[in-house]
Amino acid sequence: MDAMLSSFESMVKSASDWVAFALDAPSSRAVVFGVPIRGHLLVEGLLLVVILFLLSQKSYKPPKRPLTKKEIDELCDEWVPEPLIPAITEEMKYEPPVLESAAGTHTIINGKEVVNFTSANYLGLVGDEKLQDSCTKALEKYGVGSCGPRGFYGTIDVHLDCEARIAKFLGTSDSILYSYGLSTMFSTIPAFCKKGDVVVVDEGVHWGIQNGLHLSRSTIIYFKHNDMKSLQSILENATHDNKRAKKLRRYIVVESVYQNSGQIAPLDEIIRLKEKYRFRVILDESNSIGVLGSTGRGLTEHCKVPIEKVDIVTAAMGHALATEGGFCTGSARVIDHQRLSSSGYVFSASLPPYLASVAITAVNVLEENPNLITKLKENIVTLHKGLSDVEGLEIASDPQSPIVFLRLKKSLGSFKAELQVLEDIANHVLKEYSIFIATSKRSTADKCKLPAGIRFYVSAAHTESDLAKACESLKKATAFVLAGQ
Amino acid sequence: MITIPYLTALTTYFSYGLLFAFGQLRDFFRRIFDWWSQSNLQDCFNRPISSPPDAWFDVVERISNDNNKTLKRTTRVNRCLNLGSYNYLGFAAADEYCTPRVIECLKKFSASTCSTRIDGGTTTLHAELEECVANFVGKPAAIVFGMGYVTNSAILPVLMGKGSLIISDSLNHNSIVNGARGSGATIRVFQHNTPSHLDKVLREQIADGQPRTHRPWKKIMVVVEGIYSMEGELCKLPEIISVCKKYKAYVYLDEAHSIGAVGKTGRGVCELLGVDTADVDIMMGTFTKSFGSCGGYITGSKELIQYLKYTCPAHLYATSISPPAAQQIISSIKVVLGEDGSSRGAQKLARIRENSNFFRSELQKMGFEVLGDNDSPVMPIMLYNPAKIPAFSRECLKRSVAVVTVAFPATPLLLARARICISAAHSREDLVKALEVLSTVGDMVGIKYFPAEPKKQQLEGDRVKLE
């Protein structure tokens, strides 16, 4: 132990001697410009060099070992994709009934005449003589398709006439035509709502709106279906103490008559809220144009709200107007903006001219025959009353809605199970009583959570006996199907 | 890959720079520079017509009292040669075989069903149409929709979702882009029509897996178009299919511009390039172009179509395709196949091919820079410079030739172009007249970038490489 200690001591001593010698070495005592350079400066200088050298080196990184070609090949070989579609189950094999004549209020299925409640032919204009005439003339003059988008010679004079006619009818400054009802909403919304904008939307909106919102990449907040209290509290939360929100664009998106429930949005209340919290309103009038209001001008007329208060109005024309396509209407600035930046307008072939000409005629017919709307309203009241006491079913829709929406009184827990029961009822009604009704089937891509139901689309062309027969048959069929449960 | 001379690139950039500078100045001197408003080009787009978009059509003249800011329709029309519409087979106007049948069908089925396909919008006509389309395309089953744009944007969200990968050509149509975005799948892009780059992207992606979690992808779909409408190019389908087969990716082919327009019997790029339709998993197309109608279709295996009919939003929520439009498709396909008892279909197909190839070669001889492949009826003529867009368009219209001009943002900034679409309805005299006008205007505007003999090889050296 002692020996080790003493040898260690001698080592330290010799080292310190060596250092002292090195510091006393003549070179370390050199005098530069009269300043003697002490030895430790030399050491510090050396240290500085070492530090600089280390700093100039890249920091330590474990060596990268990218996958070799062979490894990638193996990964590619091992990878097994899922099948393109899931396995086909029995329920996917559903085939809808095939119509053998026009989809008017009476149509033919399997050689049998049935009363049709599946067409949103609210004014009974399918097969109307005036519409057929204008359609024939347009087909003879323009052919069928327009062979190009609006920008590239796909704008035909009837398109411009139709846009002007719709704007005049609704009392707006301009309107824009889309070539398909479904694309109207999912093109219009992303043209206005951008990333970061706040959009407050009803949870019951149809897929077209959902898709539009998804494509817009805005911040989406859902409020409870047609619940104004819920809307107000969300608007309050979104704007209260949130200075950032004041700088963002803010929208409320609602449907006038909800496809998924038949409820009617209380527009007067929504307008009051929008003005209070300073939001813009986008309103889908697909199922209300030609239906609501004393002259069929839609929800704005129904709620006695001036149409200028609604910033953007869209609608599909495949309902009351008995044609196809859609339109958006509003101020000239709103419309002009879409002509340059709405994808479904810019990048799609324009509406076939004959359908635009049918739309013009349909609006004319609607304006000339106010009794159509009176008749439709009577029919809605009759059917609503007749269906209000079906055992096991309840009406979820508004008494004034042209869609009478019935759902099961007793919830079965899952959408699928409920839909199956309702489908059985619909099939039974069609087979036994020749009444054609449809259930609210839902796509897997659809995020709506409202319960399933049976839809009756009421038409002004339904006769009293049609309606009575429908109510009677549904009662019997429901009793029959529910008894078998 | 497009190459453009340095001088042209420079002047084009310079020109845009000038525009930019003026735009900036305008903000300060709004009144002085008001005429530089963005509506400077307005009269070159959205020109209304008052007749069917046939070989010749009536372009409605418009006037402006406020320097092009707003345009008013007049009652005057200008009878023009139509080089803009997608009327490839000439079915746009009333047709001796189709129109009577369409009107007959209108009487029977009326203009709309006002219902969705799954509820009460399926008529016997729709069933017939789907069978007819499946037969024509050469796939087991088909589903049709009322709009081509919706076809793409509603199908992709059903088939692809989170955890799957869509590999899309960089120049795919907006409807595909929107459909892919709507699906929630991860999207990667490969260089336009470059199978080798597709191979690279596929390898990288399969090896990497999903972002962050690195789980393997659920499925991968490669989306390409048959003919690219802004480039006039044919898809390199055989090569792309072999790459996809190698990596087990599904192939989605959008034949919007090629179905009916190319191939010996009009069956699209598969027929033209000798690809077995069984190798393409999903074949999409539209009826707007060659068939002179509206709407779109998807063809594929029976199971695929069954699944789409069960869950596709456009099948469940959208009004079914208008019956007269459906009848127009059925009738025009019958004409193309010769089932109408005449040889008009075969003649139309031969004519569009001859017309396209004649026109393309003549344009090239004149020294224009024309993009695209032989047999393609779409041929873009490069303009490059922004000031040349209205000049070219207006001068052509003055001489009764209607052309389409396309500029930023539909194309890259440098690559503004005019696009010619040839139709089977054009006669040889029409084309000769069109060539004369284009040549005169081309000299005026200065867009003959390859004067006299095209010396491509020598010029290649001093050009900027651009995608």
Side-chain angles (χ1 to χ4, degrees):
Chain A
M1 205 53 187
D2 275 353
M4 262 177 74
L5 210 72
S6 66
S7 74
F8 178 71
E9 265 172 20
S10 68
M11 249 172 70
V12 172
K13 204 176 169 209
S14 67
S16 63
D17 280 355
W18 186 83
V19 171
F21 170 76
L23 291 182
D24 286 344
S27 63
S28 65
R29 263 182 269 134
V31 176
V32 179
F33 299 123
V35 182
I37 294 180
R38 300 292 300 270
H40 66 94
L41 280 179
L42 183 76
V43 177
E44 278 162 6
L46 277 173
L47 269 174
L48 199 69
V49 171
V50 170
I51 289 170
L52 284 177
F53 173 74
L54 284 176
L55 278 179
S56 72
Q57 296 298 300
K58 277 178 193 160
S59 61
Y60 172 78
K61 267 186 200 152
K64 262 193 186 164
R65 284 188 302 159
L67 296 173
T68 61
K69 190 172 174 296
K70 199 178 148 232
E71 280 167 324
I72 295 180
D73 281 340
E74 276 172 13
L75 281 170
C76 289
D77 280 342
E78 279 166 23
W79 182 66
V80 183
E82 277 182 13
L84 190 55
I85 47 165
I88 297 291
T89 56
E90 211 39 52
E91 61 173 341
M92 293 181 190
K93 291 183 182 163
Y94 174 81
E95 291 283 338
V98 179
L99 277 61
E100 287 151 34
S101 71
T105 44
H106 291 88
T107 183
I108 298 166
I109 294 174
N110 288 329
K112 230 166 54 176
E113 191 181 307
V114 301
V115 186
N116 185 3
F117 283 95
T118 64
S119 279
N121 167 27
Y122 300 129
L123 298 173
L125 293 183
V126 167
D128 181 272
E129 228 165 81
K130 276 189 186 154
L131 267 69
Q132 297 285 74
D133 267 1
S134 78
C135 191
T136 314
K137 277 189 196 128
L139 281 171
E140 279 164 355
K141 185 174 175 198
Y142 298 108
V144 177
S146 60
C147 285
R150 288 288 295 264
F152 305 153
Y153 304 107
T155 302
I156 296 172
D157 47 5
V158 279
H159 289 133
L160 300 172
D161 295 340
C162 185
E163 285 170 352
R165 184 74 190 89
I166 288 168
K168 191 178 155 225
F169 175 65
L170 293 174
T172 49
S173 48
D174 203 356
S175 70
I176 178 170
L177 280 184
Y178 284 88
S179 39
Y180 210 34
L182 189 68
S183 72
T184 311
M185 256 306 186
F186 76 62
S187 303
T188 305
I189 293 179
F192 292 99
C193 308
K194 303 289 179 195
K195 199 170 180 178
D197 295 353
V198 176
V199 186
V200 179
V201 57
D202 190 291
E203 63 180 5
V205 291
H206 64 75
W207 180 83
I209 298 181
Q210 291 171 22
N211 191 32
L213 292 169
H214 181 85
L215 292 176
S216 74
R217 306 187 200 182
S218 314
T219 311
I220 303 161
I221 312 172
Y222 286 99
F223 66 92
K224 268 196 202 142
H225 182 50
N226 220 13
D227 183 343
M228 288 307 110
K229 278 198 189 117
S230 163
L231 174 63
Q232 175 156 19
S233 76
I234 281 170
L235 295 183
E236 182 77 48
N237 277 341
T239 48
H240 185 66
D241 277 347
N242 190 347
K243 284 208 182 105
R244 233 186 93 240
K246 287 196 180 123
K247 286 181 193 154
L248 300 171
R249 278 177 298 238
R250 286 153 288 162
Y251 300 90
I252 301 172
V253 180
V254 283
E255 269 179 79
S256 53
V257 175
Y258 287 93
Q259 187 115 15
N260 284 329
S261 73
Q263 289 277 323
I264 295 180
L267 190 64
D268 37 1
E269 180 68 13
I270 292 170
I271 295 295
R272 195 183 64 75
L273 291 174
K274 141 204 155 124
E275 283 174 349
K276 184 173 171 198
Y277 295 102
R278 305 184 62 79
F279 274 62
R280 294 189 175 95
V281 171
I282 303 180
L283 176 69
D284 185 16
E285 292 245 40
S286 295
N287 287 299
S288 57
I289 294 286
V291 177
L292 295 180
S294 52
T295 58
R297 283 174 169 79
L299 187 63
T300 45
E301 194 186 21
H302 179 79
C303 295
K304 304 201 171 48
V305 171
I307 196 156
E308 303 84 55
K309 295 222 169 182
V310 183
D311 303 271
I312 300 165
V313 174
T314 64
M317 303 198 290
H319 300 111
L321 299 182
T323 172
E324 279 191 23
F327 65 81
C328 175
T329 184
S331 68
R333 277 187 71 195
V334 163
I335 302 307
D336 281 345
H337 174 71
Q338 291 177 65
R339 291 194 199 279
L340 285 173
S341 58
S342 177
S343 58
Y345 178 85
V346 175
F347 295 103
S348 160
S350 57
L351 183 71
Y354 76 94
L355 291 172
S357 124
V358 173
I360 298 175
T361 319
V363 173
N364 290 341
V365 170
L366 173 59
E367 255 187 353
E368 285 156 17
N369 302 289
N371 57 319
L372 280 177
I373 295 190
T374 337
K375 182 78 184 35
L376 172 63
K377 285 185 173 160
E378 281 169 24
N379 281 355
I380 294 172
V381 172
T382 315
L383 193 72
H384 197 271
K385 199 165 155 239
L387 292 175
S388 57
D389 56 346
V390 181
E391 204 67 40
L393 297 179
E394 61 180 3
I395 296 184
S397 56
D398 191 280
Q400 286 169 307
S401 148
I403 303 173
V404 181
F405 193 93
L406 295 141
R407 60 181 179 218
L408 288 173
K409 234 175 217 163
K410 212 177 78 191
S411 168
L412 295 178
S414 84
F415 181 85
K416 239 184 192 174
E418 286 177 16
L419 188 67
Q420 192 53 55
V421 174
L422 295 168
E423 206 136 288
D424 290 344
I425 296 174
N427 287 341
H428 192 76
V429 172
L430 177 61
K431 231 188 237 160
E432 300 296 322
Y433 308 103
S434 296
I435 302 285
F436 186 24
I437 52 178
T439 54
S440 63
K441 294 171 198 70
R442 199 164 288 164
S443 160
T444 44
D446 193 339
K447 289 184 198 79
C448 175
K449 293 277 180 297
L450 298 181
I454 289 178
R455 276 196 205 108
F456 282 80
Y457 290 96
V458 189
S459 167
H462 283 129
T463 61
E464 257 172 57
S465 71
D466 289 343
L467 300 172
K469 195 177 153 202
C471 299
E472 202 53 40
S473 334
L474 188 73
K475 275 174 202 165
K476 285 186 197 155
T478 311
F480 175 81
V481 172
L482 292 182
Q485 285 280 305
Chain B
M1 192 81 95
I2 299 160
T3 54
I4 94 172
Y6 269 122
L7 192 63
T8 316
L10 260 169
T11 51
T12 307
Y13 270 129
F14 176 74
S15 207
Y16 273 108
L18 211 62
L19 275 184
F20 176 76
F22 271 82
Q24 291 291 314
L25 273 175
R26 210 195 85 181
D27 288 346
F28 298 107
F29 309 105
R30 204 174 192 104
R31 262 184 299 172
I32 304 168
F33 289 99
D34 212 23
W35 55 273
W36 251 127
S37 69
Q38 62 165 16
S39 54
N40 229 328
L41 290 177
Q42 191 150 328
D43 64 312
C44 300
F45 301 106
N46 297 320
R47 283 180 189 143
I49 60 173
S50 62
S51 69
D54 205 11
W56 287 81
F57 62 177
D58 298 328
V59 177
V60 179
E61 287 181 22
R62 293 182 292 180
I63 50 162
S64 178
N65 296 325
D66 48 8
N67 283 326
N68 241 348
K69 241 184 170 175
T70 54
L71 293 160
K72 283 206 184 83
R73 267 195 292 165
T74 65
T75 46
R76 286 193 309 267
V77 293
N78 183 1
R79 188 90 181 144
C80 289
L81 181 65
N82 180 3
L83 293 181
S85 296
Y86 308 133
N87 174 25
Y88 299 133
L89 291 184
F91 283 114
D95 183 88
E96 53 184 279
Y97 181 82
C98 302
T99 308
R101 282 166 181 77
V102 168
I103 289 174
E104 199 55 41
C105 162
L106 171 73
K107 282 181 191 144
K108 190 174 172 198
F109 288 107
S110 159
S112 169
T113 62
C114 295
S115 187
T116 64
R117 282 295 304 279
I118 198 106
D119 291 345
T122 303
T123 66
T124 44
L125 194 70
H126 292 93
E128 184 188 343
L129 172 63
E130 284 177 352
E131 205 185 309
C132 171
V133 170
N135 267 336
F136 181 70
V137 178
K139 279 286 205 181
I143 178 171
V144 296
F145 303 101
M147 182 187 184
Y149 188 95
V150 164
T151 312
N152 273 332
S153 51
I155 287 292
L156 286 168
V158 175
L159 295 176
M160 307 302 275
K162 239 184 147 204
S164 32
L165 173 69
I166 295 174
I167 301 185
S168 169
D169 188 287
S170 59
L171 294 182
N172 271 346
H173 189 251
N174 178 276
S175 57
I176 297 174
V177 175
N178 259 349
R181 269 196 211 154
S183 72
T186 309
I187 304 162
R188 293 284 177 270
V189 173
F190 71 97
Q191 275 168 21
H192 172 58
N193 222 357
T194 315
S196 59
H197 188 245
L198 173 65
D199 185 290
K200 201 176 137 219
V201 172
L202 271 166
R203 277 177 75 84
E204 267 170 26
Q205 290 300 326
I206 295 176
D208 273 3
Q210 296 181 30
R212 291 167 57 84
T213 60
H214 296 288
R215 287 200 189 107
W217 293 106
K218 287 184 178 159
K219 45 192 164 185
I220 300 178
M221 189 184 282
V222 174
V223 188
V224 291
E225 287 185 38
I227 289 181
Y228 291 88
S229 63
M230 286 294 163
E231 317 295 313
E233 277 174 319
L234 293 169
C235 173
K236 290 180 184 154
L237 197 59
E239 294 89 336
I240 285 174
I241 284 189
S242 71
V243 172
C244 290
K245 267 193 176 166
K246 188 168 145 200
Y247 295 103
K248 291 164 278 189
Y250 301 111
V251 184
Y252 184 106
L253 174 66
D254 177 343
E255 291 220 75
H257 285 266
S258 53
I259 191 73
V262 295
K264 196 158 168 275
T265 58
R267 287 180 160 91
V269 279
C270 284
E271 188 180 41
L272 183 72
L273 302 174
V275 172
D276 186 0
T277 53
D279 288 339
V280 185
D281 300 278
I282 300 162
M283 295 178 69
M284 178 269 171
T286 64
F287 304 123
T288 326
K289 283 102 191 177
S290 304
F291 306 112
S293 181
C294 67
Y297 67 82
I298 295 278
T299 58
S301 69
K302 275 218 162 65
E303 292 75 28
L304 173 77
I305 300 304
Q306 209 157 39
Y307 181 68
L308 290 179
K309 284 188 173 175
Y310 165 72
T311 192
C312 178
H315 192 74
L316 265 61
Y317 305 134
T319 316
S320 59
I321 183 170
S322 164
Q327 182 59 51
Q328 164 80 13
I329 302 159
I330 297 174
S331 304
S332 55
I333 288 183
K334 279 189 176 155
V335 172
V336 171
L337 292 176
E339 284 173 18
D340 61 329
S342 77
S343 59
R344 282 173 60 221
Q347 281 167 12
K348 276 175 186 289
L349 285 164
R351 178 102 46 80
I352 185 163
R353 198 182 150 129
E354 271 167 32
N355 280 357
S356 307
N357 290 342
F358 166 72
F359 207 77
R360 183 182 296 277
S361 68
E362 288 299 310
L363 283 178
Q364 277 164 344
K365 272 185 217 161
M366 285 176 186
F368 288 107
E369 175 155 24
V370 187
L371 304 187
D373 296 312
N374 270 345
D375 282 358
S376 155
V378 185
M379 42 201 88
I381 300 176
M382 299 312 291
L383 300 174
Y384 299 123
N385 206 306
K388 292 180 179 178
I389 300 164
F392 186 77
S393 180
R394 285 174 198 157
E395 289 303 324
C396 284
L397 192 70
K398 257 189 215 161
R399 293 166 176 77
S400 295
V401 171
V403 293
V404 163
T405 46
V406 199
F408 183 78
T411 65
L413 191 64
L414 275 178
L415 305 177
R417 61 196 70 178
R419 188 182 56 181
I420 310 288
C421 291
I422 294 298
S423 162
H426 290 135
S427 67
R428 189 46 76 97
E429 296 83 68
D430 293 342
L431 297 181
V432 171
K433 180 198 148 75
L435 286 165
E436 274 167 21
V437 170
L438 289 183
S439 177
T440 323
V441 176
D443 284 332
M444 273 174 78
V445 180
I447 51 166
K448 292 186 174 172
Y449 293 103
F450 295 112
E453 288 300 310
K455 291 174 198 153
K456 271 201 170 175
Q457 275 94 3
Q458 291 169 22
L459 287 168
E460 211 85 316
D462 63 9
R463 311 186 119 230
V464 193
K465 294 264 177 199
L466 283 170
E467 267 174 39

